[in-house]
Amino acid sequence: MRSYDDETLPLQPPIRLPDEATLAAAVRTAPLAEELEPAGSDAEVLAAWADHCRERLAADEGLLLELMRMFLSREPVDDGVPEALTGLGLVRRTEPYTLTWLGLWVARLIVAETTGQDVPIMGTLADADAAALLYGLRSYPEADRGEELSAWVKGRDDAVTEITSVLATVSPLSRAVGVELLSSDFGEEGRLALAALLDEPKLGAVIAARTGRDERRTAPDEIAWVLVDMAAALLEFGGESGEVIESIAMGMDAEEQAGTIAILAFGEHPWTGRVLRVFIDRHPDERVAASARKALRRLRGLADVRS
């Protein structure tokens, strides 16, 4: 299992892109188009241009870093940009120097290829099922999320039921997004749907923890599952290791943390191993790290027994 790395790229917010024809037209009018002579259908033009951009960026790390810096910041550059980026049509040739649609498109491809992260594109979730919607919305700012959600809800008979039906099986961060949507964006109907799930083992305990329903007591056998689920949501987003650790430590001293970590192996949460790796690799206190190593061995032993 891969260890946690603080340099893991956090989930990126969505981008807006035009259709394929508009992107291909941008390629054909790029400054270097006359030299490179892109030809063929729109899809063929874009595929060839993407390959050329990859080659140019792979050959010049400075260009690649500048493109990635502009993509991750989404802010204009004040002091000009390399001519190669403007020549490829990736950056505007006049102020404000920002990524063009073509620049966003190429940068998104590179992020997917180098990190495995598919940066979402606004407007692409309307036909998704509920699980794909929650997964896609994980990195959306509130305003963009509302726009995407409105498009998804349109034409659906029972959006609330669709979302509640997948909460137990989606990823931890997707589950957190779903709970937040139901408790805020869907008003009283959504809150009633969440209340109806409070008696569900594990899922109900997570809902209670995230919505402040103190009357729903967490059973002893649910504590580990809830702790892992909350920490895993941060881990899935790409949060720093300190945030993941603090979500479980909650102000406890090292001895108390070690005792809490020891029980995580019994929660049967699919993300338990990944959360324990954070404590093993990143916790500053050896007692806690040792407890995490022991819990991970126990987790693997229990998995062998169950299988």
Side-chain angles (χ1 to χ4, degrees):
M1 182 179 293
R2 183 178 64 84
S3 64
Y4 180 78
D5 186 345
D6 270 333
E7 295 181 356
T8 298
L9 182 67
L11 293 180
Q12 295 300 298
I15 61 175
R16 295 179 187 271
L17 288 179
D19 59 21
E20 185 178 81
T22 304
L23 286 171
V27 169
R28 295 185 178 103
T29 58
L32 286 176
E34 185 175 346
E35 172 189 336
L36 299 173
E37 299 181 344
S41 67
D42 291 342
E44 290 169 337
V45 165
L46 288 173
W49 201 255
D51 287 342
H52 182 73
C53 289
R54 290 188 190 96
E55 291 173 8
R56 291 290 296 271
L57 295 169
D60 190 331
E61 185 178 0
L63 288 181
L64 176 61
L65 291 175
E66 182 65 16
L67 179 68
M68 289 297 98
R69 182 174 73 85
M70 294 182 70
F71 182 75
L72 297 178
S73 71
R74 311 285 174 92
E75 295 290 338
V77 174
D78 297 326
D79 51 356
V81 293
E83 186 176 344
L85 294 180
T86 58
L88 291 167
L90 305 183
V91 178
R92 284 169 47 91
R93 283 176 282 175
T94 57
E95 295 186 38
Y97 298 113
T98 57
L99 292 183
T100 61
W101 282 333
L102 206 53
L104 290 169
W105 178 74
V106 168
R108 179 178 182 270
L109 290 178
I110 292 172
V111 168
E113 291 166 359
T114 56
T115 71
Q117 181 181 151
D118 287 323
V119 178
I121 300 172
M122 286 292 299
T124 58
L125 297 176
D127 297 326
D129 61 26
L133 172 76
L134 299 182
Y135 187 84
L137 290 178
R138 294 174 305 158
S139 66
Y140 274 58
E142 186 172 348
D144 291 339
R145 187 182 70 186
E147 178 183 336
E148 195 77 73
L149 181 63
S150 295
W152 184 82
V153 168
K154 195 173 299 182
R156 294 178 184 271
D157 295 329
D158 198 348
V160 167
T161 299
E162 288 188 49
I163 292 175
T164 55
S165 68
V166 301
L167 284 183
T169 56
V170 294
S171 71
L173 184 54
S174 299
R175 184 164 30 254
V177 170
V179 171
E180 186 176 352
L181 291 179
L182 291 168
S183 63
S184 57
D185 294 75
F186 286 97
E188 188 64 18
E189 181 186 3
R191 289 187 286 273
L192 288 173
L194 287 175
L197 294 174
L198 287 174
D199 289 336
E200 292 291 321
K202 299 176 180 176
L203 174 60
V206 169
I207 291 172
R210 289 202 173 277
T211 58
R213 300 293 292 265
D214 295 336
E215 72 275 14
R216 201 288 194 188
R217 299 288 184 178
T218 302
D221 60 346
E222 294 177 317
I223 293 174
W225 205 91
V226 173
L227 288 173
V228 170
D229 201 66
M230 304 282 271
L234 293 170
L235 185 57
E236 188 178 349
F237 185 78
E240 294 183 0
S241 57
E243 296 175 313
V244 178
I245 290 170
E246 184 55 34
S247 70
I248 290 179
M250 295 184 292
M252 294 185 289
D253 62 30
E255 186 174 345
E256 291 171 320
Q257 289 181 52
T260 299
I261 291 299
I263 71 170
L264 297 187
F266 301 105
E268 299 184 14
H269 194 293
W271 281 64
T272 300
R274 277 173 275 194
V275 171
L276 288 174
R277 289 301 321 182
V278 177
F279 282 82
I280 292 169
D281 295 339
R282 297 290 178 172
H283 201 287
D285 193 291
E286 176 55 30
R287 289 170 295 178
V288 180
S291 180
R293 286 192 292 270
K294 184 175 180 180
L296 185 58
R297 289 195 297 271
R298 183 179 293 118
L299 177 69
R300 291 168 176 165
L302 290 171
D304 290 340
V305 170
R306 294 186 187 110
S307 62

